[in-house]
Amino acid sequence: MHPDCERILISEGEIRARVVEIGRRISSDYAGKELLMIGILKGAMIFLADLVREITVPTQYDFMAVSSYGASSKSSGEVRILKDLEYGVEGRHIIIVEDIVDTGLTLNYLAENLKSRDPASVKICTLLDKPSRRVEPVEIDYNGFVIPDEFVVGYGLDYSDRYRNFPCIMVLSPKVYMNEGE
Ligand code: 5GP
């Protein structure tokens, strides 16, 4: 295990098994339909890459990037689109794929924004759900794991853009935050 991490929260094998299960459920829910998966950069990239390979219905994927100022800044957690979709979503069945839902502000904004573009349907899929910190309710259609209020990294999730390449989900050691701004 990496010295910056306190413990493994979800192993590579557990993630793998859950991704297969979610892929099966999505494939069955969307039987006879075509799907557009929208990955939120950069955190959801690894989850999306594994998930799409478990889906058996015709599937395309695209990416969006947003910058979130979080719950503490201003009233409604301002979210800015840094990179928009390549194609329109009108009339498409879309699934937004996130790494983690924390306050819910990012996903609420994204879901509302995408709904206003007249897709046929919008669902939300996240690898991790941290419900204890929710500020705005989010209806999650596909969830990998509910986790406690701890800061996690790995499998796409970062701290200062590091640790994304870890194959499992780990709890970051507090000593890493203490060195913040060194
Ligand atoms: P929210 O749901 O608060 O709008 O924001 C979700 C975003 O906050 C995620 O996409 C992720 O970038 C970041 N985030 C929230 N909790 C964690 C965590 O435990 N670890 C990491 N690496 N990012 C987190």
Side-chain angles (χ1 to χ4, degrees), residues 40 43 68 70-71 79 98-107 128 130 133-134 138 147 150-154 156-159 177:
I40 309 306
S68 171
V79 178
E98 249 295 27
D99 51 358
I100 183 165
V101 184
D102 187 16
T103 63
L105 295 169
T106 307
L107 261 183
L128 305 174
K130 212 191 259 185
R133 287 188 17 111
R134 199 73 92 250
V138 179
I147 64 161
E150 290 184 283
F151 194 84
V152 294
V153 295
L157 288 104
D158 75 309
Y159 177 72
Y177 306 99

PDB file of all heavy atoms in Angstrom, residues 40 43 68 70-71 79 98-107 128 130 133-134 138 147 150-154 156-159 177, ligand 1:
ATOM      1  N   ILE A  40     -17.792  12.227 -16.460  1.00  0.00           N
ATOM      2  CA  ILE A  40     -17.374  13.534 -15.950  1.00  0.00           C
ATOM      3  C   ILE A  40     -15.876  13.460 -15.623  1.00  0.00           C
ATOM      4  O   ILE A  40     -15.450  12.697 -14.750  1.00  0.00           O
ATOM      5  CB  ILE A  40     -18.206  13.940 -14.703  1.00  0.00           C
ATOM      6  CG1 ILE A  40     -19.721  13.808 -15.000  1.00  0.00           C
ATOM      7  CG2 ILE A  40     -17.862  15.365 -14.280  1.00  0.00           C
ATOM      8  CD1 ILE A  40     -20.224  14.541 -16.238  1.00  0.00           C
ATOM      9  N   GLY A  43     -12.258  12.389 -12.967  1.00  0.00           N
ATOM     10  CA  GLY A  43     -12.428  11.310 -11.995  1.00  0.00           C
ATOM     11  C   GLY A  43     -13.138  10.066 -12.503  1.00  0.00           C
ATOM     12  O   GLY A  43     -12.811   8.952 -12.107  1.00  0.00           O
ATOM     13  N   SER A  68     -16.036  22.740  -9.884  1.00  0.00           N
ATOM     14  CA  SER A  68     -17.011  22.962  -8.829  1.00  0.00           C
ATOM     15  C   SER A  68     -16.366  23.762  -7.722  1.00  0.00           C
ATOM     16  O   SER A  68     -15.236  23.488  -7.332  1.00  0.00           O
ATOM     17  CB  SER A  68     -17.496  21.621  -8.295  1.00  0.00           C
ATOM     18  OG  SER A  68     -18.275  21.835  -7.163  1.00  0.00           O
ATOM     19  N   GLY A  70     -17.771  23.962  -4.830  1.00  0.00           N
ATOM     20  CA  GLY A  70     -18.093  23.260  -3.584  1.00  0.00           C
ATOM     21  C   GLY A  70     -19.134  23.957  -2.738  1.00  0.00           C
ATOM     22  O   GLY A  70     -19.561  25.071  -3.022  1.00  0.00           O
ATOM     23  N   ALA A  71     -19.537  23.291  -1.675  1.00  0.00           N
ATOM     24  CA  ALA A  71     -20.645  23.754  -0.842  1.00  0.00           C
ATOM     25  C   ALA A  71     -20.294  25.018  -0.052  1.00  0.00           C
ATOM     26  O   ALA A  71     -21.156  25.820   0.256  1.00  0.00           O
ATOM     27  CB  ALA A  71     -21.044  22.654   0.123  1.00  0.00           C
ATOM     28  N   VAL A  79     -21.174  25.854 -10.311  1.00  0.00           N
ATOM     29  CA  VAL A  79     -20.500  24.866 -11.142  1.00  0.00           C
ATOM     30  C   VAL A  79     -20.303  25.480 -12.518  1.00  0.00           C
ATOM     31  O   VAL A  79     -21.214  26.096 -13.061  1.00  0.00           O
ATOM     32  CB  VAL A  79     -21.352  23.579 -11.262  1.00  0.00           C
ATOM     33  CG1 VAL A  79     -20.676  22.561 -12.177  1.00  0.00           C
ATOM     34  CG2 VAL A  79     -21.595  22.962  -9.892  1.00  0.00           C
ATOM     35  N   GLU A  98     -20.379   9.473 -12.866  1.00  0.00           N
ATOM     36  CA  GLU A  98     -19.534  10.244 -11.945  1.00  0.00           C
ATOM     37  C   GLU A  98     -18.667   9.300 -11.118  1.00  0.00           C
ATOM     38  O   GLU A  98     -18.978   8.116 -10.978  1.00  0.00           O
ATOM     39  CB  GLU A  98     -20.432  11.045 -10.979  1.00  0.00           C
ATOM     40  CG  GLU A  98     -20.428  12.535 -11.169  1.00  0.00           C
ATOM     41  CD  GLU A  98     -19.107  13.248 -10.883  1.00  0.00           C
ATOM     42  OE1 GLU A  98     -18.026  12.646 -11.003  1.00  0.00           O
ATOM     43  OE2 GLU A  98     -19.164  14.432 -10.559  1.00  0.00           O
ATOM     44  N   ASP A  99     -17.600   9.857 -10.546  1.00  0.00           N
ATOM     45  CA  ASP A  99     -16.780   9.052  -9.644  1.00  0.00           C
ATOM     46  C   ASP A  99     -17.410   8.972  -8.255  1.00  0.00           C
ATOM     47  O   ASP A  99     -17.511   7.914  -7.655  1.00  0.00           O
ATOM     48  CB  ASP A  99     -15.339   9.604  -9.566  1.00  0.00           C
ATOM     49  CG  ASP A  99     -15.275  11.109  -9.266  1.00  0.00           C
ATOM     50  OD1 ASP A  99     -16.347  11.762  -9.144  1.00  0.00           O
ATOM     51  OD2 ASP A  99     -14.160  11.642  -9.162  1.00  0.00           O
ATOM     52  N   ILE A 100     -17.869  10.146  -7.749  1.00  0.00           N
ATOM     53  CA  ILE A 100     -18.404  10.174  -6.379  1.00  0.00           C
ATOM     54  C   ILE A 100     -19.449  11.278  -6.255  1.00  0.00           C
ATOM     55  O   ILE A 100     -19.298  12.351  -6.835  1.00  0.00           O
ATOM     56  CB  ILE A 100     -17.245  10.371  -5.356  1.00  0.00           C
ATOM     57  CG1 ILE A 100     -17.763  10.336  -3.922  1.00  0.00           C
ATOM     58  CG2 ILE A 100     -16.458  11.629  -5.600  1.00  0.00           C
ATOM     59  CD1 ILE A 100     -16.647  10.157  -2.880  1.00  0.00           C
ATOM     60  N   VAL A 101     -20.511  11.006  -5.535  1.00  0.00           N
ATOM     61  CA  VAL A 101     -21.487  12.042  -5.192  1.00  0.00           C
ATOM     62  C   VAL A 101     -21.274  12.382  -3.726  1.00  0.00           C
ATOM     63  O   VAL A 101     -21.388  11.519  -2.851  1.00  0.00           O
ATOM     64  CB  VAL A 101     -22.946  11.583  -5.411  1.00  0.00           C
ATOM     65  CG1 VAL A 101     -23.901  12.744  -5.125  1.00  0.00           C
ATOM     66  CG2 VAL A 101     -23.152  11.073  -6.825  1.00  0.00           C
ATOM     67  N   ASP A 102     -20.946  13.639  -3.489  1.00  0.00           N
ATOM     68  CA  ASP A 102     -20.616  14.099  -2.148  1.00  0.00           C
ATOM     69  C   ASP A 102     -21.734  15.049  -1.688  1.00  0.00           C
ATOM     70  O   ASP A 102     -22.757  14.604  -1.185  1.00  0.00           O
ATOM     71  CB  ASP A 102     -19.241  14.781  -2.233  1.00  0.00           C
ATOM     72  CG  ASP A 102     -18.681  15.165  -0.891  1.00  0.00           C
ATOM     73  OD1 ASP A 102     -19.167  14.670   0.118  1.00  0.00           O
ATOM     74  OD2 ASP A 102     -17.715  15.966  -0.854  1.00  0.00           O
ATOM     75  N   THR A 103     -21.570  16.365  -1.912  1.00  0.00           N
ATOM     76  CA  THR A 103     -22.661  17.290  -1.560  1.00  0.00           C
ATOM     77  C   THR A 103     -23.849  17.129  -2.504  1.00  0.00           C
ATOM     78  O   THR A 103     -24.975  17.463  -2.160  1.00  0.00           O
ATOM     79  CB  THR A 103     -22.180  18.755  -1.647  1.00  0.00           C
ATOM     80  OG1 THR A 103     -21.826  19.040  -2.999  1.00  0.00           O
ATOM     81  CG2 THR A 103     -21.005  19.008  -0.734  1.00  0.00           C
ATOM     82  N   GLY A 104     -23.588  16.678  -3.719  1.00  0.00           N
ATOM     83  CA  GLY A 104     -24.656  16.529  -4.716  1.00  0.00           C
ATOM     84  C   GLY A 104     -24.800  17.747  -5.607  1.00  0.00           C
ATOM     85  O   GLY A 104     -25.574  17.742  -6.561  1.00  0.00           O
ATOM     86  N   LEU A 105     -24.027  18.786  -5.325  1.00  0.00           N
ATOM     87  CA  LEU A 105     -24.176  20.043  -6.083  1.00  0.00           C
ATOM     88  C   LEU A 105     -23.764  19.874  -7.546  1.00  0.00           C
ATOM     89  O   LEU A 105     -24.452  20.352  -8.446  1.00  0.00           O
ATOM     90  CB  LEU A 105     -23.357  21.156  -5.415  1.00  0.00           C
ATOM     91  CG  LEU A 105     -23.835  21.556  -4.014  1.00  0.00           C
ATOM     92  CD1 LEU A 105     -22.819  22.454  -3.323  1.00  0.00           C
ATOM     93  CD2 LEU A 105     -25.197  22.257  -4.089  1.00  0.00           C
ATOM     94  N   THR A 106     -22.665  19.184  -7.782  1.00  0.00           N
ATOM     95  CA  THR A 106     -22.185  19.010  -9.153  1.00  0.00           C
ATOM     96  C   THR A 106     -23.204  18.229  -9.986  1.00  0.00           C
ATOM     97  O   THR A 106     -23.590  18.656 -11.076  1.00  0.00           O
ATOM     98  CB  THR A 106     -20.831  18.249  -9.155  1.00  0.00           C
ATOM     99  OG1 THR A 106     -19.939  18.913  -8.275  1.00  0.00           O
ATOM    100  CG2 THR A 106     -20.237  18.167 -10.546  1.00  0.00           C
ATOM    101  N   LEU A 107     -23.671  17.115  -9.453  1.00  0.00           N
ATOM    102  CA  LEU A 107     -24.587  16.280 -10.222  1.00  0.00           C
ATOM    103  C   LEU A 107     -25.950  16.929 -10.414  1.00  0.00           C
ATOM    104  O   LEU A 107     -26.580  16.764 -11.452  1.00  0.00           O
ATOM    105  CB  LEU A 107     -24.744  14.914  -9.578  1.00  0.00           C
ATOM    106  CG  LEU A 107     -23.886  13.859 -10.241  1.00  0.00           C
ATOM    107  CD1 LEU A 107     -24.105  12.503  -9.627  1.00  0.00           C
ATOM    108  CD2 LEU A 107     -24.156  13.786 -11.743  1.00  0.00           C
ATOM    109  N   LEU A 128     -19.154   5.866  -6.308  1.00  0.00           N
ATOM    110  CA  LEU A 128     -19.212   6.021  -4.852  1.00  0.00           C
ATOM    111  C   LEU A 128     -20.282   7.037  -4.460  1.00  0.00           C
ATOM    112  O   LEU A 128     -20.498   8.021  -5.161  1.00  0.00           O
ATOM    113  CB  LEU A 128     -17.858   6.511  -4.321  1.00  0.00           C
ATOM    114  CG  LEU A 128     -16.630   5.683  -4.677  1.00  0.00           C
ATOM    115  CD1 LEU A 128     -15.370   6.390  -4.193  1.00  0.00           C
ATOM    116  CD2 LEU A 128     -16.715   4.283  -4.088  1.00  0.00           C
ATOM    117  N   LYS A 130     -21.347   9.283  -1.012  1.00  0.00           N
ATOM    118  CA  LYS A 130     -21.005   9.687   0.363  1.00  0.00           C
ATOM    119  C   LYS A 130     -22.211  10.458   0.903  1.00  0.00           C
ATOM    120  O   LYS A 130     -22.222  11.692   0.938  1.00  0.00           O
ATOM    121  CB  LYS A 130     -19.784  10.610   0.283  1.00  0.00           C
ATOM    122  CG  LYS A 130     -18.845  10.532   1.448  1.00  0.00           C
ATOM    123  CD  LYS A 130     -17.867  11.679   1.361  1.00  0.00           C
ATOM    124  CE  LYS A 130     -16.516  11.313   0.819  1.00  0.00           C
ATOM    125  NZ  LYS A 130     -15.570  12.445   0.859  1.00  0.00           N
ATOM    126  N   ARG A 133     -22.701  13.758   3.543  1.00  0.00           N
ATOM    127  CA  ARG A 133     -22.354  15.165   3.269  1.00  0.00           C
ATOM    128  C   ARG A 133     -23.290  15.837   2.264  1.00  0.00           C
ATOM    129  O   ARG A 133     -23.019  16.914   1.761  1.00  0.00           O
ATOM    130  CB  ARG A 133     -20.918  15.245   2.762  1.00  0.00           C
ATOM    131  CG  ARG A 133     -19.939  15.009   3.896  1.00  0.00           C
ATOM    132  CD  ARG A 133     -18.511  15.250   3.548  1.00  0.00           C
ATOM    133  NE  ARG A 133     -18.268  16.021   2.350  1.00  0.00           N
ATOM    134  CZ  ARG A 133     -17.767  17.260   2.358  1.00  0.00           C
ATOM    135  NH1 ARG A 133     -17.501  17.865   3.491  1.00  0.00           N
ATOM    136  NH2 ARG A 133     -17.537  17.885   1.221  1.00  0.00           N
ATOM    137  N   ARG A 134     -24.431  15.183   2.014  1.00  0.00           N
ATOM    138  CA  ARG A 134     -25.327  15.692   0.978  1.00  0.00           C
ATOM    139  C   ARG A 134     -25.927  17.049   1.351  1.00  0.00           C
ATOM    140  O   ARG A 134     -26.406  17.244   2.454  1.00  0.00           O
ATOM    141  CB  ARG A 134     -26.455  14.681   0.736  1.00  0.00           C
ATOM    142  CG  ARG A 134     -27.138  14.880  -0.585  1.00  0.00           C
ATOM    143  CD  ARG A 134     -26.302  14.449  -1.796  1.00  0.00           C
ATOM    144  NE  ARG A 134     -26.548  13.071  -2.166  1.00  0.00           N
ATOM    145  CZ  ARG A 134     -25.666  12.094  -1.998  1.00  0.00           C
ATOM    146  NH1 ARG A 134     -24.468  12.326  -1.490  1.00  0.00           N
ATOM    147  NH2 ARG A 134     -25.971  10.872  -2.345  1.00  0.00           N
ATOM    148  N   VAL A 138     -29.912  13.885  -4.499  1.00  0.00           N
ATOM    149  CA  VAL A 138     -29.615  13.395  -5.850  1.00  0.00           C
ATOM    150  C   VAL A 138     -30.250  12.021  -5.978  1.00  0.00           C
ATOM    151  O   VAL A 138     -30.075  11.174  -5.103  1.00  0.00           O
ATOM    152  CB  VAL A 138     -28.095  13.238  -6.079  1.00  0.00           C
ATOM    153  CG1 VAL A 138     -27.806  12.706  -7.478  1.00  0.00           C
ATOM    154  CG2 VAL A 138     -27.368  14.542  -5.862  1.00  0.00           C
ATOM    155  N   ILE A 147     -20.128   4.996   0.890  1.00  0.00           N
ATOM    156  CA  ILE A 147     -18.918   5.073   1.730  1.00  0.00           C
ATOM    157  C   ILE A 147     -19.102   6.086   2.866  1.00  0.00           C
ATOM    158  O   ILE A 147     -19.905   7.002   2.757  1.00  0.00           O
ATOM    159  CB  ILE A 147     -17.648   5.409   0.899  1.00  0.00           C
ATOM    160  CG1 ILE A 147     -17.748   6.813   0.260  1.00  0.00           C
ATOM    161  CG2 ILE A 147     -17.369   4.348  -0.151  1.00  0.00           C
ATOM    162  CD1 ILE A 147     -16.402   7.372  -0.173  1.00  0.00           C
ATOM    163  N   GLU A 150     -15.086  10.025   4.487  1.00  0.00           N
ATOM    164  CA  GLU A 150     -13.625  10.029   4.518  1.00  0.00           C
ATOM    165  C   GLU A 150     -13.154  10.419   3.123  1.00  0.00           C
ATOM    166  O   GLU A 150     -13.842  10.132   2.148  1.00  0.00           O
ATOM    167  CB  GLU A 150     -13.087   8.643   4.874  1.00  0.00           C
ATOM    168  CG  GLU A 150     -13.377   8.293   6.317  1.00  0.00           C
ATOM    169  CD  GLU A 150     -12.772   6.968   6.722  1.00  0.00           C
ATOM    170  OE1 GLU A 150     -13.345   5.932   6.353  1.00  0.00           O
ATOM    171  OE2 GLU A 150     -11.751   6.980   7.422  1.00  0.00           O
ATOM    172  N   PHE A 151     -11.999  11.032   3.022  1.00  0.00           N
ATOM    173  CA  PHE A 151     -11.508  11.444   1.713  1.00  0.00           C
ATOM    174  C   PHE A 151     -10.768  10.283   1.061  1.00  0.00           C
ATOM    175  O   PHE A 151      -9.777   9.784   1.580  1.00  0.00           O
ATOM    176  CB  PHE A 151     -10.600  12.671   1.811  1.00  0.00           C
ATOM    177  CG  PHE A 151     -10.372  13.299   0.470  1.00  0.00           C
ATOM    178  CD1 PHE A 151     -11.296  14.193  -0.051  1.00  0.00           C
ATOM    179  CD2 PHE A 151      -9.264  12.953  -0.290  1.00  0.00           C
ATOM    180  CE1 PHE A 151     -11.112  14.752  -1.318  1.00  0.00           C
ATOM    181  CE2 PHE A 151      -9.063  13.501  -1.548  1.00  0.00           C
ATOM    182  CZ  PHE A 151      -9.988  14.402  -2.059  1.00  0.00           C
ATOM    183  N   VAL A 152     -11.287   9.861  -0.080  1.00  0.00           N
ATOM    184  CA  VAL A 152     -10.734   8.680  -0.736  1.00  0.00           C
ATOM    185  C   VAL A 152     -10.066   9.037  -2.061  1.00  0.00           C
ATOM    186  O   VAL A 152     -10.420  10.033  -2.693  1.00  0.00           O
ATOM    187  CB  VAL A 152     -11.819   7.599  -0.970  1.00  0.00           C
ATOM    188  CG1 VAL A 152     -12.322   7.034   0.351  1.00  0.00           C
ATOM    189  CG2 VAL A 152     -12.983   8.149  -1.791  1.00  0.00           C
ATOM    190  N   VAL A 153      -9.103   8.209  -2.434  1.00  0.00           N
ATOM    191  CA  VAL A 153      -8.401   8.381  -3.713  1.00  0.00           C
ATOM    192  C   VAL A 153      -8.257   7.018  -4.392  1.00  0.00           C
ATOM    193  O   VAL A 153      -8.452   5.977  -3.762  1.00  0.00           O
ATOM    194  CB  VAL A 153      -6.995   9.018  -3.529  1.00  0.00           C
ATOM    195  CG1 VAL A 153      -7.082  10.433  -3.001  1.00  0.00           C
ATOM    196  CG2 VAL A 153      -6.117   8.159  -2.604  1.00  0.00           C
ATOM    197  N   GLY A 154      -7.898   7.070  -5.667  1.00  0.00           N
ATOM    198  CA  GLY A 154      -7.668   5.844  -6.422  1.00  0.00           C
ATOM    199  C   GLY A 154      -8.793   5.570  -7.404  1.00  0.00           C
ATOM    200  O   GLY A 154      -9.866   6.155  -7.306  1.00  0.00           O
ATOM    201  N   GLY A 156      -9.279   6.530 -10.328  1.00  0.00           N
ATOM    202  CA  GLY A 156      -9.741   7.761 -10.977  1.00  0.00           C
ATOM    203  C   GLY A 156      -9.844   8.948 -10.047  1.00  0.00           C
ATOM    204  O   GLY A 156      -9.762  10.094 -10.485  1.00  0.00           O
ATOM    205  N   LEU A 157     -10.018   8.691  -8.739  1.00  0.00           N
ATOM    206  CA  LEU A 157     -10.172   9.819  -7.802  1.00  0.00           C
ATOM    207  C   LEU A 157      -8.802  10.317  -7.351  1.00  0.00           C
ATOM    208  O   LEU A 157      -7.892   9.524  -7.103  1.00  0.00           O
ATOM    209  CB  LEU A 157     -10.994   9.394  -6.581  1.00  0.00           C
ATOM    210  CG  LEU A 157     -12.477   9.180  -6.867  1.00  0.00           C
ATOM    211  CD1 LEU A 157     -12.788   7.706  -6.930  1.00  0.00           C
ATOM    212  CD2 LEU A 157     -13.343   9.867  -5.833  1.00  0.00           C
ATOM    213  N   ASP A 158      -8.713  11.640  -7.211  1.00  0.00           N
ATOM    214  CA  ASP A 158      -7.397  12.241  -6.960  1.00  0.00           C
ATOM    215  C   ASP A 158      -7.349  13.074  -5.696  1.00  0.00           C
ATOM    216  O   ASP A 158      -8.366  13.414  -5.104  1.00  0.00           O
ATOM    217  CB  ASP A 158      -7.044  13.179  -8.130  1.00  0.00           C
ATOM    218  CG  ASP A 158      -7.853  14.478  -8.049  1.00  0.00           C
ATOM    219  OD1 ASP A 158      -9.078  14.404  -7.918  1.00  0.00           O
ATOM    220  OD2 ASP A 158      -7.234  15.563  -8.077  1.00  0.00           O
ATOM    221  N   TYR A 159      -6.120  13.416  -5.338  1.00  0.00           N
ATOM    222  CA  TYR A 159      -5.859  14.552  -4.461  1.00  0.00           C
ATOM    223  C   TYR A 159      -4.730  15.305  -5.143  1.00  0.00           C
ATOM    224  O   TYR A 159      -3.659  14.719  -5.394  1.00  0.00           O
ATOM    225  CB  TYR A 159      -5.447  14.103  -3.044  1.00  0.00           C
ATOM    226  CG  TYR A 159      -5.110  15.273  -2.160  1.00  0.00           C
ATOM    227  CD1 TYR A 159      -6.113  16.119  -1.697  1.00  0.00           C
ATOM    228  CD2 TYR A 159      -3.793  15.566  -1.834  1.00  0.00           C
ATOM    229  CE1 TYR A 159      -5.809  17.215  -0.922  1.00  0.00           C
ATOM    230  CE2 TYR A 159      -3.476  16.670  -1.054  1.00  0.00           C
ATOM    231  CZ  TYR A 159      -4.492  17.489  -0.601  1.00  0.00           C
ATOM    232  OH  TYR A 159      -4.186  18.581   0.158  1.00  0.00           O
ATOM    233  N   TYR A 177      -2.987  16.025   3.958  1.00  0.00           N
ATOM    234  CA  TYR A 177      -3.663  17.340   3.997  1.00  0.00           C
ATOM    235  C   TYR A 177      -2.848  18.330   4.809  1.00  0.00           C
ATOM    236  O   TYR A 177      -2.818  19.510   4.504  1.00  0.00           O
ATOM    237  CB  TYR A 177      -5.025  17.286   4.704  1.00  0.00           C
ATOM    238  CG  TYR A 177      -5.998  16.277   4.209  1.00  0.00           C
ATOM    239  CD1 TYR A 177      -6.151  15.068   4.864  1.00  0.00           C
ATOM    240  CD2 TYR A 177      -6.779  16.563   3.109  1.00  0.00           C
ATOM    241  CE1 TYR A 177      -7.072  14.150   4.417  1.00  0.00           C
ATOM    242  CE2 TYR A 177      -7.704  15.655   2.661  1.00  0.00           C
ATOM    243  CZ  TYR A 177      -7.840  14.442   3.322  1.00  0.00           C
ATOM    244  OH  TYR A 177      -8.737  13.540   2.891  1.00  0.00           O
TER     245      TYR A 177
HETATM  246  P1  5GP B   1     -20.202  17.237  -5.058  1.00  0.00           P
HETATM  247  O1  5GP B   1     -21.097  16.034  -5.023  1.00  0.00           O
HETATM  248  O2  5GP B   1     -19.824  17.700  -3.671  1.00  0.00           O
HETATM  249  O3  5GP B   1     -20.699  18.353  -5.913  1.00  0.00           O
HETATM  250  O4  5GP B   1     -18.825  16.935  -5.703  1.00  0.00           O
HETATM  251  C1  5GP B   1     -18.395  15.766  -6.178  1.00  0.00           C
HETATM  252  C2  5GP B   1     -16.941  15.956  -6.534  1.00  0.00           C
HETATM  253  O5  5GP B   1     -16.162  16.267  -5.358  1.00  0.00           O
HETATM  254  C3  5GP B   1     -16.386  14.673  -7.077  1.00  0.00           C
HETATM  255  O6  5GP B   1     -16.533  14.598  -8.469  1.00  0.00           O
HETATM  256  C4  5GP B   1     -14.940  14.755  -6.637  1.00  0.00           C
HETATM  257  O7  5GP B   1     -14.195  15.468  -7.579  1.00  0.00           O
HETATM  258  C5  5GP B   1     -14.951  15.564  -5.349  1.00  0.00           C
HETATM  259  N1  5GP B   1     -14.921  14.688  -4.149  1.00  0.00           N
HETATM  260  C6  5GP B   1     -15.854  14.572  -3.197  1.00  0.00           C
HETATM  261  N2  5GP B   1     -15.493  13.674  -2.249  1.00  0.00           N
HETATM  262  C7  5GP B   1     -14.287  13.198  -2.635  1.00  0.00           C
HETATM  263  C8  5GP B   1     -13.383  12.224  -2.073  1.00  0.00           C
HETATM  264  O8  5GP B   1     -13.585  11.586  -1.028  1.00  0.00           O
HETATM  265  N3  5GP B   1     -12.247  12.010  -2.777  1.00  0.00           N
HETATM  266  C9  5GP B   1     -11.945  12.669  -3.941  1.00  0.00           C
HETATM  267  N4  5GP B   1     -10.787  12.361  -4.529  1.00  0.00           N
HETATM  268  N5  5GP B   1     -12.764  13.587  -4.489  1.00  0.00           N
HETATM  269  C10 5GP B   1     -13.921  13.851  -3.844  1.00  0.00           C
END
